[in-house]
């Protein structure tokens, strides 16, 4: 491998470069027909170039934007110096899932939004560099992480759910020397990273690699374990000294409009689970189908909506619409995802509010009735409130409708744990600073506590809970 | 991996399997179900629990081969293992002494009916059971049901055994004879449950049905199994599978069961083709 022997340290009396290195992507006309990764990643040359743009400013505001407190300037400096394996070690001091975070974190609203360079130009592409460092390690550095064997008398901690919160909490606790076991209800690890995020945005081989790393730390995952039914929290507490609940936001919301139970209406959770977890895109080689029509409407404007629309396109839909009641500016999805969707030919029906799904006599969808909206005064969220334009109803012919308007906390553990204090949205009430719940020794974090949020926020909550559990057990 | 400890062929395409799944068996209760996935390529399908034995650590299921997955499961032998086996799922039935309970089972619905009838009997109820099948050759567990009932009736559609006709004929007679009935449990094909609920509604007898919707995860995550109960949308997996039959929108449920008919056919044809190749 070519190592740059130019020893010049980056940032020394150098002209500041305000233009970031472009991310190579798969051509839109090609990628809309396959499930391979869209963003291809930096190579050594582009990574080094991008990392060298970092001015290593003393204040390092980027660090404050990272929920898991990665020493960002330090790892970037190591990339600029070509010390890639040291760079990934630096990241892994704080983040156990770098290849995932580098791909799916909304860096533009976190670390990158605070970057000093961003004041005058483009901020450092921190996420892309994180991804590069993680991918470089996977491709070039043999895994030599020694298994941390359970130090015999260490207290046992149970972690429920192997999503981003659970994996992070478990890995941190393991590093602190605890015996950790993860209970997962599905047959595979990763939670939303597996069933929610599509292959073309997060290849499952990357997820497998990151989970394997956590396994090598000595964390065991037991699958097909539905906590609440096969064992209650109370029963777990008899064997485990502490419990972390990271069971996620697995309860899809619907619009509650007529026709929502017609055949052809999916929740985004169902559609994506069929495709991502059950591999319906390989049907009939895999048994699970994800029947789809030629005209698909996705209701919602977040990342899950973009993922659903782009999956539908790849499964052969001819026309795919995003139906969203506000304007493009308010779309909650990451800009990059919206851009990718546009490039692939997804059509945006903005300021459009569905009011009814109309079916045929067999119970299949025929069309969706919507009304036109306009933006009024800002609402409590600070976004302009969509207001109905009178007599503006119209219908769009549809074969498939996917509802992607969010999801609530999974109800199973709250339902079966009477002592657990539950919020009005069905979330487990926690002390945000510690992850403590109303039951001593039981901690929670991630979407089950906050409602649907981001991967990195869930990881941050897992980290906080790990620290609190350590404190609790001392 | 979950080992098959016992297999019984109850009729041409109805099979019984006892699976070693000690943790599930420890917690299983009448009214609950499991989700299984046969192998890495497999789909997740729900099957109701026909019996459970905490001491042996086993769960018994009875299933009819209707699609690719159940047909493939039917080819598996004692000693083979199932890749994934999740449960117990769903809310267990509420067991108490209601008085006189009529338990009606049709087709493979007799399987999940059995543990419910047994538990109700143990709770002190008088059990009248009515079980039906298309024909005598596909009737099973007559003795089991008989043992947990104070009185039992058998019907066959073709008249090859018991009453010639439907389970609803017997229930209708009991209702018309003004026998006191405190509760009815009805488990079977959707058209049967629908007819029974329509029949009992004017008599105001609480009638509970067990729904077997299409599911993916079975933990409340996907909403695939949603049903309309009264004016509310419920998820069969976490809110059921037992529901007040008088409130179930059977028409919608029936349509939803046909969501993937073309795909199911395609998968079945492929499976047949592949299995015939192996045989040759």
């Amino acid at each position: 491998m070519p190592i740059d022997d130019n020893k010049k340290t980056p940032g020394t009396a150098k002209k500041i470069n305000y233009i970031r290195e472009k991310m190579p992507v798969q051509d839109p006309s090609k990628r809309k027909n396959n499930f391979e990764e869209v963003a291809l990643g930096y190579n050594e040359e582009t990574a080094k170039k991008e990392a060298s743009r970092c001015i290593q400013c003393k204040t390092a505001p980027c660090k404050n934007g990272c929920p898991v407190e990665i020493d960002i300037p330090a790892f970037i400096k190591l990339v600029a110096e070509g010390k890639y394996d040291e760079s990934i070690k630096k990241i892994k001091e704080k983040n156990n899932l770098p290849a995932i975070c580098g791909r799916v974190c909304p860096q533009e609203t976190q670390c990158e939004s605070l970057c000093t360079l961003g004041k005058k130009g483009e901020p450092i592409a921190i996420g892309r560099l994180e991804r590069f460092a993680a991918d470089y390690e996977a491709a070039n550095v043999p895994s030599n992480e020694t298994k941390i064997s359970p130090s015999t008398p260490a207290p046992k901690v149970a972690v429920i759910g192997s999503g981003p919160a659970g994996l992070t909490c478990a890995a941190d606790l393991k590093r602190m020397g605890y015996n950790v076991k993860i209970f997962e209800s599905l047959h595979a690890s990763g939670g939303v990273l597996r069933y929610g995020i599509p292959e073309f945005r997060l290849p499952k081989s990357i997820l497998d690699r990151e989970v394997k790393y956590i396994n090598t730390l000595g964390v065991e995952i037991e699958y097909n374990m539905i906590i609440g039914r096969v064992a209650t929290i109370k029963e777990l507490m008899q064997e485990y000294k502490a419990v972390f609940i990271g069971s996620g936001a697995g309860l899809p919301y619907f619009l509650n409009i007529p026709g929502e139970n017609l055949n052809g209406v999916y929740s985004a959770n169902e559609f994506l689970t069929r495709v991502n977890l059950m591999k319906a895109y390989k049907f009939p080689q895999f048994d699970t189908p994800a029947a789809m029509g030629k005209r698909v409407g996705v209701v919602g404007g977040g990342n899950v909506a973009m993922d659903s629309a782009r999956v539908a396109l790849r499964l052969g839909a001819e026309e795919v619409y995003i139906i969203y009641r506000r304007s493009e500016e308010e779309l909650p999805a990451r800009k990059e995802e919206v851009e990718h969707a546009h490039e692939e030919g997804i059509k945006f029906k903005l300021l459009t509010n569905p009011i009814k799904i109309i079916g045929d006599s067999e119970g299949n969808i025929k069309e969706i009735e919507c009304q036109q909206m306009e933006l009024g005064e800002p609402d409590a969220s600070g976004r302009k409130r969509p207001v109905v334009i009178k007599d503006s109803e119209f219908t769009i012919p549809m074969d498939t409708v996917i509802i992607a308007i969010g999801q609530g906390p999974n109800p199973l553990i709250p339902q079966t744990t009477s002592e657990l204090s539950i919020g009005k949205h069905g979330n487990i009430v926690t002390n945000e600073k510690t992850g403590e719940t109303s039951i001593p020794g039981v901690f929670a974090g991630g979407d089950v506590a906050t409602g649907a949020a981001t991967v990195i926020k869930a990881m941050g909550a897992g980290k906080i809970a790990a620290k609190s559990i350590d404190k609790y057990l001392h | 991996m979950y080992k098959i400890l016992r297999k019984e062929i109850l009729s041409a395409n109805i099979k019984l399997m006892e699976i070693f799944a000690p943790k599930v068996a420890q917690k299983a209760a009448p009214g609950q179900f499991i989700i299984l996935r046969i192998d890495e390529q497999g789909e997740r399908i729900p099957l109701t629990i026909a019996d459970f034995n905490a001491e042996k650590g086993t769960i018994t299921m009875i299933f009819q081969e209707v699609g690719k997955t159940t047909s493939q499961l039917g080819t598996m032998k004692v000693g083979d293992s199932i890749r994934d086996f999740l449960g117990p799922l769903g809310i267990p039935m509420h067991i108490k002494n209601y008085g006189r309970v009529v338990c009606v089972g049709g087709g493979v619905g007799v399987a999940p009916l059995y543990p419910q009838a047994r538990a109700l009997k143990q709770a002190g109820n008088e059990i009248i059971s009515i079980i039906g099948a298309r024909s005598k050759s596909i009737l099973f567990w007559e003795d089991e049901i008989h043992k947990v009932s104070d009185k039992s009736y058998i019907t066959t559609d073709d008249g090859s055994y018991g009453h010639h006709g439907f389970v609803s004929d017997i229930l209708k007679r009991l209702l018309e004879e003004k026998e006191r009935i405190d509760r009815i449990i009805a488990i079977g094909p959707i058209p049967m449950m629908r007819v029974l609920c329509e029949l009992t509604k004017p008599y105001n007898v609480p009638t509970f049905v067990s729904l077997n919707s299409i599911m993916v995860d079975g933990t409340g995550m996907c909403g695939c199994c949603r049903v309309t109960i009264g004016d509310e949308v419920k998820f069969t997996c976490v809110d059921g599978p037992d529901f007040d039959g008088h409130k179930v929108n059977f028409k919608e449920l029936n349509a939803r069961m046909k969501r993937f008919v073309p795909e199911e056919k395609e998968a079945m044809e492929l499976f047949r083709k592949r299995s015939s190749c192996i045989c040759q």
Side-chain angles (χ1 to χ4, degrees):
Chain A
M1 86 198 86
I3 296 286
D4 194 344
D5 51 10
N6 178 359
K7 288 278 168 13
K8 195 172 71 183
T9 23
T12 47
K14 233 178 27 178
K15 215 175 142 203
I16 294 174
N17 178 359
Y18 285 110
I19 314 282
R20 60 161 64 175
E21 282 298 312
K22 287 217 161 28
M23 183 66 145
V25 293
Q26 219 197 124
D27 184 69
S29 62
K30 231 193 226 167
R31 73 182 189 232
K32 67 180 191 186
N33 298 312
N34 68 48
F35 274 84
E36 282 151 40
E37 198 167 14
V38 169
L40 302 171
Y42 285 155
N43 57 25
E44 280 184 53
E45 187 193 348
T46 46
K48 230 179 199 175
K49 254 182 168 172
E50 179 63 20
S52 304
R53 291 208 305 127
C54 176
I55 56 170
Q56 295 288 325
C57 55
K58 287 275 171 301
T59 49
C62 50
K63 283 161 83 173
N64 301 326
C66 179
V68 296
E69 303 160 343
I70 296 175
D71 189 347
I72 294 168
F75 99 76
I76 288 181
K77 186 162 184 275
L78 290 163
V79 173
E81 291 167 356
K83 296 174 182 163
Y84 308 128
D85 42 353
E86 284 178 48
S87 164
I88 189 64
K89 270 188 199 139
K90 181 54 75 184
I91 296 172
K92 281 188 169 176
E93 283 173 9
K94 296 288 183 180
N95 185 347
N96 299 303
L97 310 169
I100 294 170
C101 288
R103 285 171 168 83
V104 304
C105 269
Q107 291 96 6
E108 64 280 6
T109 60
Q110 298 181 142
C111 50
E112 291 177 11
S113 74
L114 303 170
C115 175
T116 305
L117 287 189
K119 286 176 194 157
K120 283 190 181 164
E122 291 183 309
I124 297 290
I126 300 168
R128 295 172 185 178
L129 290 172
E130 182 183 24
R131 167 182 166 158
F132 167 78
D135 288 358
Y136 180 90
E137 183 197 36
N140 299 294
V141 185
S143 164
N144 58 355
E145 187 84 28
T146 41
K147 196 165 173 166
I148 304 174
S149 52
S151 36
T152 18
K156 287 166 83 176
V157 182
V159 169
I160 301 163
S162 66
L167 286 175
T168 304
C169 186
D172 279 15
L173 285 166
K174 189 71 223 178
R175 286 170 192 278
M176 293 172 192
Y178 293 99
N179 277 322
V180 190
K181 186 164 182 181
I182 300 181
F183 296 98
E184 169 58 51
S185 74
L186 292 174
H187 57 259
S189 61
V192 70
L193 303 169
R194 174 97 45 192
Y195 71 75
I197 302 179
E199 184 73 16
F200 57 81
R201 211 148 70 78
L202 175 63
K204 298 304 162 263
S205 56
I206 306 270
L207 172 60
D208 290 339
R209 195 171 84 202
E210 306 265 55
V211 172
K212 203 178 147 206
Y213 166 71
I214 289 175
N215 284 151
T216 55
L217 294 178
V219 173
E220 188 197 339
I221 306 179
E222 188 173 357
Y223 296 98
N224 297 315
M225 284 297 281
I226 179 87
I227 302 304
R229 290 266 173 249
V230 76
T232 60
I233 299 286
K234 222 177 184 172
E235 285 161 343
L236 283 182
M237 289 298 281
Q238 289 162 13
E239 191 184 341
Y240 296 86
K241 295 275 176 261
V243 175
F244 173 76
I245 306 170
S247 51
L251 180 78
Y253 290 144
F254 287 92
L255 294 157
N256 295 316
I257 60 172
E260 225 169 357
N261 291 353
L262 285 165
N263 288 352
V265 184
Y266 287 96
S267 74
N269 264 10
E270 180 189 351
F271 184 66
L272 293 175
T273 300
R274 284 178 177 276
V275 177
N276 301 335
L277 173 71
M278 305 308 298
K279 301 198 165 60
Y281 66 98
K282 293 183 182 167
F283 178 86
Q285 189 196 331
F286 280 70
D287 290 342
T288 307
M292 269 232 338
K294 294 292 171 202
R295 293 175 61 89
V296 179
V298 180
V299 181
N303 289 323
V304 175
M306 299 305 141
D307 284 345
S308 302
R310 296 169 70 199
V311 164
L313 196 72
R314 283 160 174 76
L315 288 179
E318 280 162 12
E319 281 184 81
V320 183
Y321 296 90
I322 288 281
I323 301 173
Y324 180 59
R325 63 199 187 117
R326 300 180 201 244
S327 73
E328 174 128 12
E329 206 179 306
E330 289 84 19
L331 282 170
R334 291 183 72 187
K335 271 224 158 54
E336 186 181 289
E337 303 307 323
V338 176
E339 270 166 31
H340 284 163
H342 272 300
E343 286 166 10
E344 290 168 13
I346 305 290
K347 298 185 169 101
F348 285 71
K349 283 266 173 203
L350 301 167
L351 292 164
T352 302
N353 187 41
I355 48 175
K356 192 181 188 181
I357 304 170
I358 301 159
D360 61 17
S361 56
E362 311 268 280
N364 300 312
I365 304 181
K366 225 168 59 186
E367 52 193 12
I368 184 164
E369 188 178 332
C370 304
Q371 50 192 187
Q372 203 63 55
M373 312 294 278
E374 60 187 348
L375 291 182
E377 293 300 306
D379 63 12
S381 72
R383 297 179 300 177
K384 286 178 183 161
R385 187 193 301 273
V387 187
V388 179
I389 298 178
K390 229 182 130 195
D391 299 326
S392 64
E393 288 78 13
F394 63 98
T395 59
I396 317 171
M398 283 292 167
D399 310 308
T400 303
V401 168
I402 300 165
I403 313 290
I405 55 163
Q407 53 274 335
N410 191 291
L412 204 59
I413 288 170
Q415 258 178 26
T416 53
T417 316
S418 54
E419 304 87 348
L420 209 53
S421 169
I422 304 301
K424 65 174 180 218
H425 300 294
N427 54 304
I428 297 177
V429 177
T430 59
N431 176 339
E432 249 178 80
K433 290 197 181 89
T434 61
E436 289 167 293
T437 68
S438 55
I439 306 175
V442 178
F443 299 76
D447 286 0
V448 76
T450 57
T454 61
V455 168
I456 190 74
K457 280 196 179 129
M459 291 176 60
K463 258 193 154 20
I464 289 171
K467 276 184 204 154
S468 308
I469 289 170
D470 182 43
K471 219 165 154 190
Y472 171 79
L473 294 175
H474 264 85
Chain B
M1 300 291 265
Y2 302 83
K3 215 176 200 167
I4 300 168
L5 296 188
R6 182 163 72 103
K7 179 182 178 181
E8 264 180 53
I9 297 170
L10 300 177
S11 71
N13 64 354
I14 298 179
K15 287 167 186 170
L16 173 150
M17 271 182 188
E18 193 172 345
I19 311 291
F20 187 64
K23 286 178 181 165
V24 185
Q26 204 64 245
K27 283 304 184 84
Q32 291 187 299
F33 64 97
I34 57 95
I35 288 224
L36 64 79
R37 190 177 72 128
I38 295 176
D39 53 30
E40 204 50 51
Q41 286 74 38
E43 61 178 339
R44 293 167 68 98
I45 60 157
L47 287 175
T48 41
I49 294 173
D51 205 355
F52 47 89
N53 187 326
E55 258 170 55
K56 276 168 73 187
T58 61
I59 295 285
T60 302
M61 305 142 356
I62 292 176
F63 59 93
Q64 186 169 6
E65 295 169 1
V66 285
K68 191 257 174 180
T69 301
T70 44
S71 300
Q72 184 186 353
L73 188 61
T75 64
M76 296 179 79
K77 298 182 277 294
V78 170
D80 289 348
S81 287
I82 293 167
R83 183 92 173 69
D84 296 294
F85 196 86
L86 172 73
L89 299 169
I91 299 172
M93 81 172 305
H94 191 63
I95 299 162
K96 69 169 207 179
N97 190 347
Y98 297 99
R100 183 184 285 154
V101 181
V102 178
C103 296
V104 193
V108 277
V110 170
L113 184 73
Y114 168 68
Q116 298 209 8
R118 181 176 61 188
L120 288 167
K121 175 77 185 160
Q122 279 163 1
N125 291 281
E126 180 189 341
I127 304 292
I128 299 173
S129 52
I130 311 169
I131 59 171
R134 277 202 323 278
S135 184
K136 188 185 178 192
S137 64
I138 53 171
L139 190 77
F140 63 87
W141 276 15
E142 182 191 346
D143 288 349
E144 277 79 355
I145 293 288
H146 190 74
K147 266 183 235 160
V148 298
S149 310
D150 294 276
K151 202 170 185 184
S152 51
Y153 298 89
I154 296 190
T155 71
T156 50
D157 300 5
D158 64 359
S160 52
Y161 190 51
H163 167 78
H164 184 173
F166 302 115
V167 286
S168 51
D169 302 341
I170 306 282
L171 184 63
K172 192 169 180 228
R173 204 172 74 207
L174 295 178
L175 289 163
E176 280 169 354
E177 283 167 0
K178 297 208 177 355
E179 292 260 10
R180 196 195 83 241
I181 301 174
D182 299 298
R183 199 180 183 84
I184 294 167
I185 312 286
I187 309 177
I190 294 171
M192 179 204 102
M193 293 192 285
R194 182 182 190 167
V195 166
L196 292 176
C197 291
E198 280 165 6
L199 177 68
T200 63
K201 201 167 183 184
Y203 293 92
N204 242 336
V205 183
T207 304
F208 282 78
V209 294
S210 174
L211 305 183
N212 197 358
S213 314
I214 303 175
M215 294 181 190
V216 185
D217 62 286
T219 64
M221 200 179 81
C222 82
C224 174
C225 64
R226 61 193 188 276
V227 285
T228 303
I229 308 293
D231 50 12
E232 279 180 287
V233 175
K234 298 273 187 193
F235 291 180
T236 306
C237 66
V238 287
D239 301 319
D242 291 353
F243 291 104
D244 177 348
H246 293 150
K247 290 186 177 167
V248 174
N249 184 336
F250 284 107
K251 191 181 166 210
E252 180 187 279
L253 176 65
N254 203 36
R256 286 189 67 77
M257 293 305 282
K258 296 182 182 143
R259 279 178 75 194
F260 300 103
V261 167
E263 290 77 16
E264 282 161 9
K265 269 195 190 138
E266 189 187 341
M268 192 61 210
E269 270 159 32
L270 189 70
F271 174 69
R272 280 213 185 98
K273 224 159 120 191
R274 280 184 183 160
S275 2
S276 67
C277 288
I278 295 164
C279 292
Q280 282 159 13

